[in-house]
Amino acid sequence: HVQLQASGGGLVQAPGSLSLSCAAYRRTFAGYTFSRYAVAWFRQAPGQVRDFVAAMSRSGGRTYYADSVKGRFSISRDNAQNTVYLQMNDLKPEDTAVYYCAADDGIITSSLRSGQMYDHWGQGTLVTVSS
């Protein structure tokens, strides 16, 4: 049972770069281990629904990306610091959105792209990309 806090958003001109961070904090249950959680990033553009961006399995062995960000974004994690990152390169105006981090300790691989399957969410951080 964790709570997440996202940070790192801001204003950048295309094709610039930004790095987002999401820190996980223990809320309850002494047996909490961050390494057991799959992690992901989602985004919601103005007037749009929430979309999948990137995810990493709880083992850290596999990563998954939306086609729109593949080759430009990279998800990573530091289990010792209980933190997940999203490195965003070659940013485009269509990347403008509120970015949310998510985590879950029971999600299966086939559901990593589905926001409805994550139990823990950060508050979101706004990324604005100008042309």
Side-chain angles (χ1 to χ4, degrees), residues 4-20:
L4 308 175
Q5 296 183 5
S7 62
L11 175 64
V12 64
Q13 184 174 12
S17 298
L18 280 176
S19 182
L20 306 183

Side-chain angles (χ1 to χ4, degrees), residues 100-111:
Y100 300 90
C101 57
D104 196 277
D105 63 348
I107 195 170
I108 60 177
T109 300
S110 61
S111 297

Side-chain angles (χ1 to χ4, degrees), residues 18-100:
L18 280 176
S19 182
L20 306 183
S21 299
C22 179
Y25 298 89
R26 184 180 305 179
R27 184 177 180 181
T28 57
F29 307 113
Y32 163 74
T33 302
F34 182 67
S35 63
R36 291 184 57 85
Y37 286 76
V39 294
W41 290 91
F42 294 80
R43 67 186 182 186
Q44 184 171 186
Q48 304 294 317
V49 299
R50 183 179 58 193
D51 289 327
F52 167 77
V53 176
M56 176 176 284
S57 64
R58 65 183 184 182
S59 69
R62 299 296 297 272
T63 57
Y64 306 85
Y65 297 94
D67 289 340
S68 59
V69 307
K70 194 171 298 181
R72 300 188 297 120
F73 291 11
S74 178
I75 186 172
S76 62
R77 66 193 297 170
D78 185 341
N79 290 328
Q81 297 296 320
N82 295 333
T83 302
V84 58
Y85 304 93
L86 184 68
Q87 177 64 47
M88 305 184 294
N89 299 321
D90 191 23
L91 284 164
K92 307 175 184 298
E94 52 263 42
D95 295 319
T96 295
V98 176
Y99 284 71
Y100 300 90

